[in-house]
Amino acid sequence: MKVDMANKKVGKLPFLKNSKFVRTIIVTALCVLLFSCGGKTNPSAAMTGEGVLSVSTAGEDAANIKRPTQLWHVSDEAVCIFFGYGYNDAAFVASVTEALSAVYGASSDGGRILPIVFPDDFKRGSRSVAAELPLLVGEKKLRGLILLGAPENTHFGIAHLQDKYDGTFPFPVFSFFSQDDVSGTEGTADIVLDKAQEAGIDGIIKNESEQTFVKEVPDFVRRSVDFMLSVDGRLAKNNDLFTYLKKIVGKAKLRRYVDPESGLQSVNHFILSD
């Protein structure tokens, strides 16, 4: 007996004979495929929510890269800059302190630049007393002290500050264009610098009107800060002081101060020639 194998095979899959059923299966498969593709997350879309990172707006990262990087680190050390007569103008003080703070940080923010302005910061009632300098320095660990246009009796304040260090500073003290007593300034500062026309006043307090602004002072201060932060301890009063000061004033001409009465040449007092 012959068997129709073609009919027998088809007979095993009767649903294939139903074209409507086949179409239903195909349509169902296509729907499943479409829904599965549509449910995928777009990784470039901006999302918010816990554990999900947001995507920056185009160009925002480039702007962040251009922002200035902080150059200084928090420190308990500081270089104190005393702004006195001729150098206490608000605009000048702000210009110098901002430039230095950008590199070393302001003391108020944990940086190394501690500005003190006379007479504003020294007012006690109706008087301003430079001898009260130690109160303004406080407990800061000083690496240096720079005096600009120091007024009368500033050297008393420096001497009182020395008492906190058993009479000897462990850091350099520079006095530029002081109006204080000459011998007192020489005795409390490591380096004293005057202008030629201001030198030769024997122990007499200079008049405020005689103070002449020296345009190179911002450079002197910046180099002094760099120098003070590079050395440890006080400077010996010897011929090396001239070499140190020469680096600070650059190409400016220097000579040693000579006392007009005794004719003795000072080891730490210098004159900035025109």
Side-chain angles (χ1 to χ4, degrees):
M1 175 177 161
K2 293 182 179 180
V3 180
D4 189 343
M5 297 302 295
N7 290 336
K8 187 176 183 181
K9 289 178 181 179
V10 172
K12 290 183 178 181
L13 300 172
F15 60 87
L16 292 178
K17 296 179 179 180
N18 190 335
S19 61
K20 184 178 180 180
F21 180 75
V22 172
R23 287 198 301 270
T24 300
I25 293 176
I26 294 173
V27 170
T28 302
L30 289 174
C31 290
V32 172
L33 180 62
L34 289 174
F35 279 118
S36 63
C37 291
K40 290 183 180 180
T41 303
N42 182 357
S44 63
M47 297 178 291
T48 57
E50 186 176 355
V52 182
L53 296 177
S54 61
V55 179
S56 301
T57 304
E60 193 172 286
D61 290 338
N64 289 336
I65 292 174
K66 293 180 181 179
R67 292 176 183 172
T69 302
Q70 180 171 303
L71 301 177
W72 56 274
H73 301 286
V74 174
S75 174
D76 61 348
E77 300 177 334
V79 173
C80 177
I81 304 173
F82 177 106
F83 294 90
Y85 290 141
Y87 301 93
N88 54 2
D89 176 77
F92 176 78
V93 172
S95 174
V96 172
T97 55
E98 286 174 7
L100 290 171
S101 296
V103 180
Y104 297 109
S107 177
S108 57
D109 296 327
R112 291 180 163 185
I113 301 302
L114 174 62
I116 296 178
V117 183
F118 185 90
D120 295 353
D121 292 336
F122 290 80
K123 287 189 179 298
R124 297 293 180 270
S126 60
R127 301 182 61 202
S128 296
V129 184
E132 294 186 353
L133 177 63
L135 298 178
L136 298 176
V137 172
E139 299 304 315
K140 276 289 183 181
K141 182 180 179 182
L142 294 185
R143 286 291 301 272
L145 175 60
I146 302 171
L147 307 169
L148 301 176
E152 179 182 359
N153 294 328
T154 299
H155 68 281
F156 288 130
I158 305 301
H160 292 160
L161 188 61
Q162 276 182 317
D163 293 339
K164 295 177 60 175
Y165 299 91
D166 298 324
T168 303
F169 284 130
F171 53 81
V173 178
F174 294 169
S175 178
F176 298 150
F177 318 115
S178 172
Q179 295 191 37
D180 198 4
D181 176 76
V182 172
S183 60
T185 302
E186 290 178 346
T188 53
D190 295 298
I191 290 178
V192 179
L193 180 64
D194 276 319
K195 282 201 71 177
Q197 63 267 31
E198 296 171 351
I201 301 176
D202 182 25
I204 300 175
I205 304 302
K206 299 174 185 178
N207 188 286
E208 214 174 310
S209 62
E210 295 176 357
Q211 181 65 287
T212 303
F213 180 81
V214 178
K215 67 180 186 302
E216 296 87 358
V217 160
D219 289 332
F220 294 174
V221 172
R222 175 180 54 81
R223 292 169 190 158
S224 295
V225 172
D226 291 342
F227 176 82
M228 290 174 171
L229 292 175
S230 69
V231 298
D232 293 316
R234 186 162 186 170
L235 306 178
K237 289 188 177 181
N238 54 32
N239 290 331
D240 289 338
L241 294 178
F242 186 86
T243 302
Y244 300 149
L245 184 58
K246 196 62 180 155
K247 294 180 180 179
I248 291 169
V249 302
K251 296 180 180 180
K253 296 180 180 180
L254 289 175
R255 61 179 174 84
R256 293 186 182 277
Y257 172 81
V258 178
D259 184 87
E261 285 194 355
S262 65
L264 295 177
Q265 191 178 75
S266 175
V267 68
N268 69 328
H269 192 169
F270 305 91
I271 304 303
L272 186 65
S273 301
D274 292 333

